[in-house]
Amino acid sequence: DNRSSNIMAPSAPTDTSAAAVAAADPHLWLEDVLGQKQLDWVEKVNKKCIDAVGDPKETQSYKRIKDILDSKDKIPHAYRIGNDENGQYYNFWQDANHVQGIWRRTTLSSFKTKEPEWTTVLDLDAMPPPTNADTAKTWVWHGSTLLDEGTLTTTPDRALIRLSPGGSDADTCREFNLVTEQFIEPEDGGYALPDPAKTRISYRSRNEVLLGTDFGGDGSTLTDSGYPRVVKSWKRGTPLEEAVTLFEGEKTDIAAHMYAFHDRGFVHEFKLRSITFYTSKYYYRSLTVEGIAETTADEESTPFKEVPIPEDAELDMFADQAIITLRTKFEAPGNKNVFETGSLVTLSISELMDNDWSNAVSIFTPSDGRSLSSTTECKDYIILKVLDNVKTNLEFWKYNLTTKTWEQQNGGADAAIPVGEDVSLHSHCRDASSDNTLWLWRDGYIVPDSLEIASADDCCAKTQHIKSKPAMFDADGLLVEQRFGESRDGTQIPYFVIRRKDLVMDGSNPVLLDAYGGFEISMLPGYSAGVGAGWLERGGCKVIANIRGGGEYGPKWHQMALKENRYKCFEDVEGVAQDLIRSKLTSREKLACIGGSNGGLLVGNLITRPIGSSLFGAAVCQVPLLDMKRYSQLLAGASWMGEYGNPETSDWKFLRKHSPYHLLRHDILGKSELGDDGVLGEPTKSTNPDWKCPKTLFTTSTRDDRVHPGHARKMVAALLEEAGAGLAPEVQYWENTEGGHGGAADNSQRAFMWALTYNFLAKELGLEEKKK
């Protein structure tokens, strides 16, 4: 699918002397990711960590988690390529014998058996290692994009394969022949981008791709966020230098993108400017199957027109229907209805381009407690995954192409899902428009995954069981319950508790509190055998808090914690923590918090805030943002200013209050701070003289090119060298030299990181490792 998707995860500094900047931030030198002095520092603190916590590879936790990750009992996620019944089901797989992984295929009948017969299509372990990527020694799978020529009877025979050196967001791309199962060399007309870059590439036709990348390698065609700004048409068999520029975004945009796709007999082509993380401008033209095959993008005479939708809306297509997700309330022209924030609205693309909303309808409108989590499509249906107080329900809507109307279907898989469990639907085919067959997945915090095959035609009322994952940890005696805590402003915050049924409420139970609270991302129930083996089996409790900033209650829930209201996230977690302590499930000494990426920013604030730091005995801060003055100057940081704010404007006034690095160095430790006038101020008295840092483990990756490892490096250096053992009695740091933003590149590295995490927490909260 060539459609748009969100890009995830400061300006020039004040004109001051280098000496003043260095004095204000003596740890700035650690931002040089690959400098030898910096890597020596990393090696030193990594050794300190292993000496203190122990080598994870020598522990039962590592062996259990690695066995789980490598288990052949995992259920493969397989999707059909080709629209006929003989299509093959492809899956990417990693285990002990395939460390980097294999792309493989099988038939549906074989897939249904206990031991399918797989044919290897591409073996990453057998490929020569990267030669043009700094510290990376291995390839990490980033997926495939198929050639779609709009015919349901033809199986795609070409794919663009994306491989990342070491797991960075920057990746390479090579064209692959799905018939011969070989890469197509450039001299044979194959597309190839051997230099790692943050690239967007997709087929427009058999002999043309739409490409955005770091043309020339000097960054001039990238945005300030490091993503493509210029999109070009690249014809097969021509040098990249001859690619024709089609579209340019602004330097301050997050990214520019152009994409075309076939959809149930229609052909759509879009230009997209991602202005901020939550605002975009779409430009559209309608094409024909013959036209897109015969006329290249630079020669196509049909003009693009701007799509008249709110800038913060998201746009998708279903046949000739525009599907619009609203982030704010919208009074549509010519329509008597006011569409609420979080609604899913549909109308024909031709009417939309005429700005005629008279026939627009909402197929989902949020209400108290109910929000739209996601959508799945197949040939004739859109299926809505609806959350009701963070519990899943499914709604089926069928489209009639003749009458151009939608009708909600009744019955089927609409029974309430038990607390702590979840259900999700996916088309079984890479081309979702091929038929109405669906994969139905079920799992929960203590319920292993199961896979069924179903049909949207009966709303998944009748399903065929395909596979079940065996229990990967001992869940006997465990239960899941949903509770609500109260944030400082009175808002009720839902959270899930996974604990033993016979647990005694005496404050002695080790509890790990997990939260994220950003980017409208919901934390929904799911089976994590690593959590089970590494934490629950030892006797620990796990808590997952659905705090503001996430998407559990739709866009409004997210928007409540944007920018100057970021502190609401932190108060929500503090409210949940206080509820856990008040109920005597745990106590401060037995309570830890954990979070990664944006969740790492959350943890960084919790360990430096007066209330937060007094509630937690330990913390784990993973691939975090911590220096909110510098974040937008580092890697992809500028793309998140829609979430956090711009530190080079008056936003810094509130961002300063949410920047853990500044809270630590200047507020708590009283170190001199660079003023708005560029003058280094005098040391100050601590605003929190009673502060003591919870025992904290920081983890990151040298290869993370999304959130800069300098955030974690500098925070740890400040804690070790400036706070010292008196104020920060236990601070550990682990930086993996591979792994990207996920922190690990293969199962061995993942097992190492998580075993280290759980062993650290067990040590600090007083849990024994379970013997097996």
Side-chain angles (χ1 to χ4, degrees), residues 381-411:
Y381 297 82
I382 286 182
I383 303 101
L384 313 183
K385 182 172 182 175
V386 177
L387 297 183
D388 189 345
N389 281 313
V390 205
K391 294 187 283 286
T392 295
N393 289 285
L394 300 175
E395 296 182 2
F396 292 76
W397 288 82
K398 186 175 184 179
Y399 182 59
N400 186 317
L401 183 60
T402 302
T403 62
K404 301 187 184 302
T405 57
W406 293 89
E407 181 179 355
Q408 185 172 5
Q409 309 297 296
N410 297 315

PDB file of all heavy atoms in Angstrom, residues 381-411:
ATOM      1  N   TYR A 381     -16.048  -3.564   3.280  1.00  0.00           N
ATOM      2  CA  TYR A 381     -16.345  -3.105   4.633  1.00  0.00           C
ATOM      3  C   TYR A 381     -15.218  -2.245   5.213  1.00  0.00           C
ATOM      4  O   TYR A 381     -14.036  -2.439   4.898  1.00  0.00           O
ATOM      5  CB  TYR A 381     -16.523  -4.299   5.588  1.00  0.00           C
ATOM      6  CG  TYR A 381     -17.673  -5.205   5.260  1.00  0.00           C
ATOM      7  CD1 TYR A 381     -17.552  -6.192   4.282  1.00  0.00           C
ATOM      8  CD2 TYR A 381     -18.885  -5.097   5.941  1.00  0.00           C
ATOM      9  CE1 TYR A 381     -18.608  -7.047   3.985  1.00  0.00           C
ATOM     10  CE2 TYR A 381     -19.949  -5.948   5.652  1.00  0.00           C
ATOM     11  CZ  TYR A 381     -19.805  -6.915   4.675  1.00  0.00           C
ATOM     12  OH  TYR A 381     -20.851  -7.764   4.387  1.00  0.00           O
ATOM     13  N   ILE A 382     -15.619  -1.335   6.095  1.00  0.00           N
ATOM     14  CA  ILE A 382     -14.714  -0.719   7.056  1.00  0.00           C
ATOM     15  C   ILE A 382     -15.148  -1.199   8.433  1.00  0.00           C
ATOM     16  O   ILE A 382     -16.340  -1.127   8.782  1.00  0.00           O
ATOM     17  CB  ILE A 382     -14.747   0.818   6.988  1.00  0.00           C
ATOM     18  CG1 ILE A 382     -14.021   1.309   5.733  1.00  0.00           C
ATOM     19  CG2 ILE A 382     -14.105   1.442   8.214  1.00  0.00           C
ATOM     20  CD1 ILE A 382     -13.958   2.820   5.606  1.00  0.00           C
ATOM     21  N   ILE A 383     -14.204  -1.725   9.190  1.00  0.00           N
ATOM     22  CA  ILE A 383     -14.500  -2.203  10.533  1.00  0.00           C
ATOM     23  C   ILE A 383     -13.863  -1.242  11.531  1.00  0.00           C
ATOM     24  O   ILE A 383     -12.676  -0.929  11.426  1.00  0.00           O
ATOM     25  CB  ILE A 383     -13.976  -3.635  10.764  1.00  0.00           C
ATOM     26  CG1 ILE A 383     -14.559  -4.588   9.716  1.00  0.00           C
ATOM     27  CG2 ILE A 383     -14.341  -4.106  12.173  1.00  0.00           C
ATOM     28  CD1 ILE A 383     -13.641  -4.938   8.595  1.00  0.00           C
ATOM     29  N   LEU A 384     -14.655  -0.742  12.454  1.00  0.00           N
ATOM     30  CA  LEU A 384     -14.196   0.207  13.450  1.00  0.00           C
ATOM     31  C   LEU A 384     -13.867  -0.517  14.748  1.00  0.00           C
ATOM     32  O   LEU A 384     -14.667  -1.311  15.239  1.00  0.00           O
ATOM     33  CB  LEU A 384     -15.271   1.259  13.723  1.00  0.00           C
ATOM     34  CG  LEU A 384     -15.947   1.910  12.517  1.00  0.00           C
ATOM     35  CD1 LEU A 384     -16.930   2.981  12.987  1.00  0.00           C
ATOM     36  CD2 LEU A 384     -14.918   2.505  11.565  1.00  0.00           C
ATOM     37  N   LYS A 385     -12.692  -0.227  15.269  1.00  0.00           N
ATOM     38  CA  LYS A 385     -12.330  -0.703  16.598  1.00  0.00           C
ATOM     39  C   LYS A 385     -12.633   0.437  17.560  1.00  0.00           C
ATOM     40  O   LYS A 385     -11.958   1.474  17.542  1.00  0.00           O
ATOM     41  CB  LYS A 385     -10.859  -1.108  16.658  1.00  0.00           C
ATOM     42  CG  LYS A 385     -10.422  -1.655  18.006  1.00  0.00           C
ATOM     43  CD  LYS A 385      -9.013  -2.223  17.930  1.00  0.00           C
ATOM     44  CE  LYS A 385      -8.571  -2.809  19.256  1.00  0.00           C
ATOM     45  NZ  LYS A 385      -7.258  -3.475  19.153  1.00  0.00           N
ATOM     46  N   VAL A 386     -13.645   0.257  18.380  1.00  0.00           N
ATOM     47  CA  VAL A 386     -14.141   1.305  19.261  1.00  0.00           C
ATOM     48  C   VAL A 386     -13.774   0.964  20.702  1.00  0.00           C
ATOM     49  O   VAL A 386     -13.960  -0.172  21.150  1.00  0.00           O
ATOM     50  CB  VAL A 386     -15.668   1.448  19.122  1.00  0.00           C
ATOM     51  CG1 VAL A 386     -16.208   2.495  20.091  1.00  0.00           C
ATOM     52  CG2 VAL A 386     -16.028   1.818  17.683  1.00  0.00           C
ATOM     53  N   LEU A 387     -13.236   1.960  21.402  1.00  0.00           N
ATOM     54  CA  LEU A 387     -12.912   1.792  22.814  1.00  0.00           C
ATOM     55  C   LEU A 387     -14.013   2.403  23.667  1.00  0.00           C
ATOM     56  O   LEU A 387     -14.424   3.549  23.441  1.00  0.00           O
ATOM     57  CB  LEU A 387     -11.578   2.459  23.149  1.00  0.00           C
ATOM     58  CG  LEU A 387     -10.328   1.914  22.465  1.00  0.00           C
ATOM     59  CD1 LEU A 387      -9.092   2.647  22.973  1.00  0.00           C
ATOM     60  CD2 LEU A 387     -10.190   0.418  22.677  1.00  0.00           C
ATOM     61  N   ASP A 388     -14.478   1.635  24.629  1.00  0.00           N
ATOM     62  CA  ASP A 388     -15.453   2.117  25.615  1.00  0.00           C
ATOM     63  C   ASP A 388     -14.799   1.974  26.977  1.00  0.00           C
ATOM     64  O   ASP A 388     -14.715   0.883  27.527  1.00  0.00           O
ATOM     65  CB  ASP A 388     -16.731   1.287  25.530  1.00  0.00           C
ATOM     66  CG  ASP A 388     -17.860   1.878  26.374  1.00  0.00           C
ATOM     67  OD1 ASP A 388     -17.562   2.740  27.225  1.00  0.00           O
ATOM     68  OD2 ASP A 388     -19.019   1.478  26.182  1.00  0.00           O
ATOM     69  N   ASN A 389     -14.281   3.095  27.503  1.00  0.00           N
ATOM     70  CA  ASN A 389     -13.487   3.061  28.734  1.00  0.00           C
ATOM     71  C   ASN A 389     -12.361   2.030  28.628  1.00  0.00           C
ATOM     72  O   ASN A 389     -12.139   1.225  29.520  1.00  0.00           O
ATOM     73  CB  ASN A 389     -14.363   2.797  29.951  1.00  0.00           C
ATOM     74  CG  ASN A 389     -15.101   4.045  30.401  1.00  0.00           C
ATOM     75  OD1 ASN A 389     -14.514   5.120  30.515  1.00  0.00           O
ATOM     76  ND2 ASN A 389     -16.406   3.915  30.623  1.00  0.00           N
ATOM     77  N   VAL A 390     -11.662   2.078  27.498  1.00  0.00           N
ATOM     78  CA  VAL A 390     -10.474   1.269  27.194  1.00  0.00           C
ATOM     79  C   VAL A 390     -10.814  -0.216  27.086  1.00  0.00           C
ATOM     80  O   VAL A 390      -9.974  -1.071  27.314  1.00  0.00           O
ATOM     81  CB  VAL A 390      -9.339   1.504  28.220  1.00  0.00           C
ATOM     82  CG1 VAL A 390      -7.996   1.188  27.577  1.00  0.00           C
ATOM     83  CG2 VAL A 390      -9.314   2.944  28.721  1.00  0.00           C
ATOM     84  N   LYS A 391     -12.068  -0.517  26.728  1.00  0.00           N
ATOM     85  CA  LYS A 391     -12.464  -1.892  26.424  1.00  0.00           C
ATOM     86  C   LYS A 391     -12.976  -1.915  24.986  1.00  0.00           C
ATOM     87  O   LYS A 391     -13.741  -1.047  24.562  1.00  0.00           O
ATOM     88  CB  LYS A 391     -13.521  -2.393  27.411  1.00  0.00           C
ATOM     89  CG  LYS A 391     -12.986  -2.525  28.840  1.00  0.00           C
ATOM     90  CD  LYS A 391     -13.982  -3.179  29.767  1.00  0.00           C
ATOM     91  CE  LYS A 391     -15.089  -2.242  30.194  1.00  0.00           C
ATOM     92  NZ  LYS A 391     -14.639  -1.240  31.172  1.00  0.00           N
ATOM     93  N   THR A 392     -12.569  -2.942  24.218  1.00  0.00           N
ATOM     94  CA  THR A 392     -12.773  -2.972  22.770  1.00  0.00           C
ATOM     95  C   THR A 392     -14.133  -3.500  22.354  1.00  0.00           C
ATOM     96  O   THR A 392     -14.632  -4.492  22.912  1.00  0.00           O
ATOM     97  CB  THR A 392     -11.680  -3.835  22.115  1.00  0.00           C
ATOM     98  OG1 THR A 392     -10.415  -3.208  22.311  1.00  0.00           O
ATOM     99  CG2 THR A 392     -11.925  -4.017  20.632  1.00  0.00           C
ATOM    100  N   ASN A 393     -14.736  -2.836  21.355  1.00  0.00           N
ATOM    101  CA  ASN A 393     -15.887  -3.348  20.617  1.00  0.00           C
ATOM    102  C   ASN A 393     -15.617  -3.140  19.126  1.00  0.00           C
ATOM    103  O   ASN A 393     -14.861  -2.245  18.744  1.00  0.00           O
ATOM    104  CB  ASN A 393     -17.167  -2.611  21.009  1.00  0.00           C
ATOM    105  CG  ASN A 393     -17.638  -2.967  22.413  1.00  0.00           C
ATOM    106  OD1 ASN A 393     -18.167  -4.051  22.632  1.00  0.00           O
ATOM    107  ND2 ASN A 393     -17.427  -2.061  23.353  1.00  0.00           N
ATOM    108  N   LEU A 394     -16.259  -3.962  18.292  1.00  0.00           N
ATOM    109  CA  LEU A 394     -16.090  -3.856  16.843  1.00  0.00           C
ATOM    110  C   LEU A 394     -17.409  -3.457  16.198  1.00  0.00           C
ATOM    111  O   LEU A 394     -18.475  -3.966  16.572  1.00  0.00           O
ATOM    112  CB  LEU A 394     -15.615  -5.194  16.258  1.00  0.00           C
ATOM    113  CG  LEU A 394     -14.283  -5.733  16.779  1.00  0.00           C
ATOM    114  CD1 LEU A 394     -14.012  -7.122  16.203  1.00  0.00           C
ATOM    115  CD2 LEU A 394     -13.138  -4.788  16.438  1.00  0.00           C
ATOM    116  N   GLU A 395     -17.330  -2.546  15.199  1.00  0.00           N
ATOM    117  CA  GLU A 395     -18.505  -2.149  14.436  1.00  0.00           C
ATOM    118  C   GLU A 395     -18.202  -2.322  12.950  1.00  0.00           C
ATOM    119  O   GLU A 395     -17.139  -1.908  12.470  1.00  0.00           O
ATOM    120  CB  GLU A 395     -18.883  -0.690  14.723  1.00  0.00           C
ATOM    121  CG  GLU A 395     -19.293  -0.428  16.170  1.00  0.00           C
ATOM    122  CD  GLU A 395     -19.699   1.010  16.411  1.00  0.00           C
ATOM    123  OE1 GLU A 395     -19.704   1.800  15.434  1.00  0.00           O
ATOM    124  OE2 GLU A 395     -19.997   1.356  17.571  1.00  0.00           O
ATOM    125  N   PHE A 396     -19.147  -2.904  12.219  1.00  0.00           N
ATOM    126  CA  PHE A 396     -18.952  -3.214  10.801  1.00  0.00           C
ATOM    127  C   PHE A 396     -19.837  -2.302   9.943  1.00  0.00           C
ATOM    128  O   PHE A 396     -21.050  -2.206  10.153  1.00  0.00           O
ATOM    129  CB  PHE A 396     -19.324  -4.674  10.521  1.00  0.00           C
ATOM    130  CG  PHE A 396     -18.386  -5.665  11.149  1.00  0.00           C
ATOM    131  CD1 PHE A 396     -18.436  -5.927  12.509  1.00  0.00           C
ATOM    132  CD2 PHE A 396     -17.455  -6.344  10.384  1.00  0.00           C
ATOM    133  CE1 PHE A 396     -17.579  -6.845  13.094  1.00  0.00           C
ATOM    134  CE2 PHE A 396     -16.590  -7.267  10.956  1.00  0.00           C
ATOM    135  CZ  PHE A 396     -16.650  -7.509  12.311  1.00  0.00           C
ATOM    136  N   TRP A 397     -19.227  -1.630   8.966  1.00  0.00           N
ATOM    137  CA  TRP A 397     -19.946  -0.771   8.028  1.00  0.00           C
ATOM    138  C   TRP A 397     -19.680  -1.257   6.607  1.00  0.00           C
ATOM    139  O   TRP A 397     -18.537  -1.407   6.204  1.00  0.00           O
ATOM    140  CB  TRP A 397     -19.491   0.676   8.171  1.00  0.00           C
ATOM    141  CG  TRP A 397     -19.982   1.329   9.437  1.00  0.00           C
ATOM    142  CD1 TRP A 397     -19.439   1.233  10.682  1.00  0.00           C
ATOM    143  CD2 TRP A 397     -21.122   2.165   9.564  1.00  0.00           C
ATOM    144  NE1 TRP A 397     -20.172   1.957  11.579  1.00  0.00           N
ATOM    145  CE2 TRP A 397     -21.208   2.565  10.927  1.00  0.00           C
ATOM    146  CE3 TRP A 397     -22.073   2.652   8.655  1.00  0.00           C
ATOM    147  CZ2 TRP A 397     -22.218   3.393  11.401  1.00  0.00           C
ATOM    148  CZ3 TRP A 397     -23.079   3.488   9.126  1.00  0.00           C
ATOM    149  CH2 TRP A 397     -23.147   3.852  10.484  1.00  0.00           C
ATOM    150  N   LYS A 398     -20.762  -1.490   5.846  1.00  0.00           N
ATOM    151  CA  LYS A 398     -20.652  -1.986   4.471  1.00  0.00           C
ATOM    152  C   LYS A 398     -20.945  -0.855   3.495  1.00  0.00           C
ATOM    153  O   LYS A 398     -21.892  -0.080   3.677  1.00  0.00           O
ATOM    154  CB  LYS A 398     -21.628  -3.141   4.241  1.00  0.00           C
ATOM    155  CG  LYS A 398     -21.463  -3.805   2.869  1.00  0.00           C
ATOM    156  CD  LYS A 398     -22.358  -5.025   2.735  1.00  0.00           C
ATOM    157  CE  LYS A 398     -22.108  -5.731   1.401  1.00  0.00           C
ATOM    158  NZ  LYS A 398     -22.962  -6.950   1.257  1.00  0.00           N
ATOM    159  N   TYR A 399     -20.122  -0.786   2.436  1.00  0.00           N
ATOM    160  CA  TYR A 399     -20.290   0.247   1.416  1.00  0.00           C
ATOM    161  C   TYR A 399     -20.968  -0.325   0.185  1.00  0.00           C
ATOM    162  O   TYR A 399     -20.575  -1.386  -0.320  1.00  0.00           O
ATOM    163  CB  TYR A 399     -18.937   0.832   1.031  1.00  0.00           C
ATOM    164  CG  TYR A 399     -19.042   1.937   0.002  1.00  0.00           C
ATOM    165  CD1 TYR A 399     -19.795   3.075   0.258  1.00  0.00           C
ATOM    166  CD2 TYR A 399     -18.393   1.835  -1.233  1.00  0.00           C
ATOM    167  CE1 TYR A 399     -19.895   4.094  -0.685  1.00  0.00           C
ATOM    168  CE2 TYR A 399     -18.487   2.848  -2.172  1.00  0.00           C
ATOM    169  CZ  TYR A 399     -19.247   3.972  -1.893  1.00  0.00           C
ATOM    170  OH  TYR A 399     -19.354   4.980  -2.822  1.00  0.00           O
ATOM    171  N   ASN A 400     -21.973   0.381  -0.295  1.00  0.00           N
ATOM    172  CA  ASN A 400     -22.670   0.019  -1.525  1.00  0.00           C
ATOM    173  C   ASN A 400     -22.210   0.980  -2.616  1.00  0.00           C
ATOM    174  O   ASN A 400     -22.567   2.165  -2.601  1.00  0.00           O
ATOM    175  CB  ASN A 400     -24.189   0.117  -1.324  1.00  0.00           C
ATOM    176  CG  ASN A 400     -24.969  -0.384  -2.521  1.00  0.00           C
ATOM    177  OD1 ASN A 400     -24.638  -0.099  -3.672  1.00  0.00           O
ATOM    178  ND2 ASN A 400     -26.039  -1.137  -2.254  1.00  0.00           N
ATOM    179  N   LEU A 401     -21.426   0.490  -3.559  1.00  0.00           N
ATOM    180  CA  LEU A 401     -20.853   1.343  -4.596  1.00  0.00           C
ATOM    181  C   LEU A 401     -21.926   1.902  -5.520  1.00  0.00           C
ATOM    182  O   LEU A 401     -21.786   3.011  -6.050  1.00  0.00           O
ATOM    183  CB  LEU A 401     -19.810   0.555  -5.397  1.00  0.00           C
ATOM    184  CG  LEU A 401     -19.045   1.326  -6.483  1.00  0.00           C
ATOM    185  CD1 LEU A 401     -18.280   2.498  -5.886  1.00  0.00           C
ATOM    186  CD2 LEU A 401     -18.082   0.387  -7.218  1.00  0.00           C
ATOM    187  N   THR A 402     -23.005   1.156  -5.698  1.00  0.00           N
ATOM    188  CA  THR A 402     -24.070   1.605  -6.604  1.00  0.00           C
ATOM    189  C   THR A 402     -24.818   2.805  -6.026  1.00  0.00           C
ATOM    190  O   THR A 402     -25.032   3.813  -6.709  1.00  0.00           O
ATOM    191  CB  THR A 402     -25.065   0.456  -6.878  1.00  0.00           C
ATOM    192  OG1 THR A 402     -24.353  -0.657  -7.434  1.00  0.00           O
ATOM    193  CG2 THR A 402     -26.150   0.915  -7.841  1.00  0.00           C
ATOM    194  N   THR A 403     -25.215   2.698  -4.768  1.00  0.00           N
ATOM    195  CA  THR A 403     -25.971   3.790  -4.129  1.00  0.00           C
ATOM    196  C   THR A 403     -25.068   4.782  -3.414  1.00  0.00           C
ATOM    197  O   THR A 403     -25.535   5.839  -2.955  1.00  0.00           O
ATOM    198  CB  THR A 403     -26.966   3.221  -3.107  1.00  0.00           C
ATOM    199  OG1 THR A 403     -26.237   2.527  -2.072  1.00  0.00           O
ATOM    200  CG2 THR A 403     -27.936   2.254  -3.779  1.00  0.00           C
ATOM    201  N   LYS A 404     -23.777   4.442  -3.316  1.00  0.00           N
ATOM    202  CA  LYS A 404     -22.786   5.273  -2.625  1.00  0.00           C
ATOM    203  C   LYS A 404     -23.215   5.588  -1.195  1.00  0.00           C
ATOM    204  O   LYS A 404     -23.131   6.721  -0.705  1.00  0.00           O
ATOM    205  CB  LYS A 404     -22.523   6.572  -3.405  1.00  0.00           C
ATOM    206  CG  LYS A 404     -22.007   6.333  -4.815  1.00  0.00           C
ATOM    207  CD  LYS A 404     -21.599   7.620  -5.497  1.00  0.00           C
ATOM    208  CE  LYS A 404     -21.186   7.372  -6.950  1.00  0.00           C
ATOM    209  NZ  LYS A 404     -20.085   6.405  -7.079  1.00  0.00           N
ATOM    210  N   THR A 405     -23.679   4.534  -0.513  1.00  0.00           N
ATOM    211  CA  THR A 405     -24.124   4.682   0.872  1.00  0.00           C
ATOM    212  C   THR A 405     -23.455   3.642   1.763  1.00  0.00           C
ATOM    213  O   THR A 405     -23.015   2.590   1.298  1.00  0.00           O
ATOM    214  CB  THR A 405     -25.649   4.519   0.989  1.00  0.00           C
ATOM    215  OG1 THR A 405     -26.025   3.233   0.455  1.00  0.00           O
ATOM    216  CG2 THR A 405     -26.372   5.637   0.236  1.00  0.00           C
ATOM    217  N   TRP A 406     -23.427   3.971   3.052  1.00  0.00           N
ATOM    218  CA  TRP A 406     -22.869   3.073   4.060  1.00  0.00           C
ATOM    219  C   TRP A 406     -24.005   2.555   4.946  1.00  0.00           C
ATOM    220  O   TRP A 406     -24.911   3.301   5.314  1.00  0.00           O
ATOM    221  CB  TRP A 406     -21.850   3.803   4.938  1.00  0.00           C
ATOM    222  CG  TRP A 406     -20.611   4.221   4.209  1.00  0.00           C
ATOM    223  CD1 TRP A 406     -20.411   5.389   3.543  1.00  0.00           C
ATOM    224  CD2 TRP A 406     -19.405   3.471   4.077  1.00  0.00           C
ATOM    225  NE1 TRP A 406     -19.147   5.432   3.001  1.00  0.00           N
ATOM    226  CE2 TRP A 406     -18.509   4.263   3.314  1.00  0.00           C
ATOM    227  CE3 TRP A 406     -18.983   2.226   4.523  1.00  0.00           C
ATOM    228  CZ2 TRP A 406     -17.223   3.835   2.993  1.00  0.00           C
ATOM    229  CZ3 TRP A 406     -17.709   1.797   4.206  1.00  0.00           C
ATOM    230  CH2 TRP A 406     -16.842   2.581   3.450  1.00  0.00           C
ATOM    231  N   GLU A 407     -23.914   1.280   5.302  1.00  0.00           N
ATOM    232  CA  GLU A 407     -24.924   0.690   6.182  1.00  0.00           C
ATOM    233  C   GLU A 407     -24.227  -0.097   7.287  1.00  0.00           C
ATOM    234  O   GLU A 407     -23.375  -0.942   7.017  1.00  0.00           O
ATOM    235  CB  GLU A 407     -25.853  -0.236   5.400  1.00  0.00           C
ATOM    236  CG  GLU A 407     -26.944  -0.854   6.266  1.00  0.00           C
ATOM    237  CD  GLU A 407     -27.869  -1.759   5.465  1.00  0.00           C
ATOM    238  OE1 GLU A 407     -27.706  -1.822   4.225  1.00  0.00           O
ATOM    239  OE2 GLU A 407     -28.729  -2.401   6.074  1.00  0.00           O
ATOM    240  N   GLN A 408     -24.593   0.200   8.536  1.00  0.00           N
ATOM    241  CA  GLN A 408     -24.010  -0.538   9.655  1.00  0.00           C
ATOM    242  C   GLN A 408     -24.624  -1.927   9.720  1.00  0.00           C
ATOM    243  O   GLN A 408     -25.836  -2.097   9.574  1.00  0.00           O
ATOM    244  CB  GLN A 408     -24.227   0.197  10.977  1.00  0.00           C
ATOM    245  CG  GLN A 408     -23.512  -0.489  12.140  1.00  0.00           C
ATOM    246  CD  GLN A 408     -23.551   0.336  13.414  1.00  0.00           C
ATOM    247  OE1 GLN A 408     -24.176   1.379  13.480  1.00  0.00           O
ATOM    248  NE2 GLN A 408     -22.860  -0.146  14.437  1.00  0.00           N
ATOM    249  N   GLN A 409     -23.775  -2.930   9.922  1.00  0.00           N
ATOM    250  CA  GLN A 409     -24.198  -4.323   9.999  1.00  0.00           C
ATOM    251  C   GLN A 409     -24.344  -4.717  11.467  1.00  0.00           C
ATOM    252  O   GLN A 409     -23.615  -4.243  12.339  1.00  0.00           O
ATOM    253  CB  GLN A 409     -23.186  -5.229   9.310  1.00  0.00           C
ATOM    254  CG  GLN A 409     -22.819  -4.785   7.906  1.00  0.00           C
ATOM    255  CD  GLN A 409     -23.993  -4.803   6.954  1.00  0.00           C
ATOM    256  OE1 GLN A 409     -24.561  -5.855   6.674  1.00  0.00           O
ATOM    257  NE2 GLN A 409     -24.385  -3.640   6.458  1.00  0.00           N
ATOM    258  N   ASN A 410     -25.254  -5.604  11.744  1.00  0.00           N
ATOM    259  CA  ASN A 410     -25.501  -6.025  13.121  1.00  0.00           C
ATOM    260  C   ASN A 410     -25.066  -7.459  13.334  1.00  0.00           C
ATOM    261  O   ASN A 410     -25.029  -8.263  12.402  1.00  0.00           O
ATOM    262  CB  ASN A 410     -26.991  -5.890  13.467  1.00  0.00           C
ATOM    263  CG  ASN A 410     -27.455  -4.451  13.404  1.00  0.00           C
ATOM    264  OD1 ASN A 410     -26.773  -3.567  13.905  1.00  0.00           O
ATOM    265  ND2 ASN A 410     -28.614  -4.215  12.786  1.00  0.00           N
ATOM    266  N   GLY A 411     -24.757  -7.778  14.594  1.00  0.00           N
ATOM    267  CA  GLY A 411     -24.399  -9.147  14.948  1.00  0.00           C
ATOM    268  C   GLY A 411     -22.927  -9.409  14.819  1.00  0.00           C
ATOM    269  O   GLY A 411     -22.133  -8.525  14.509  1.00  0.00           O
TER     270      GLY A 411
END
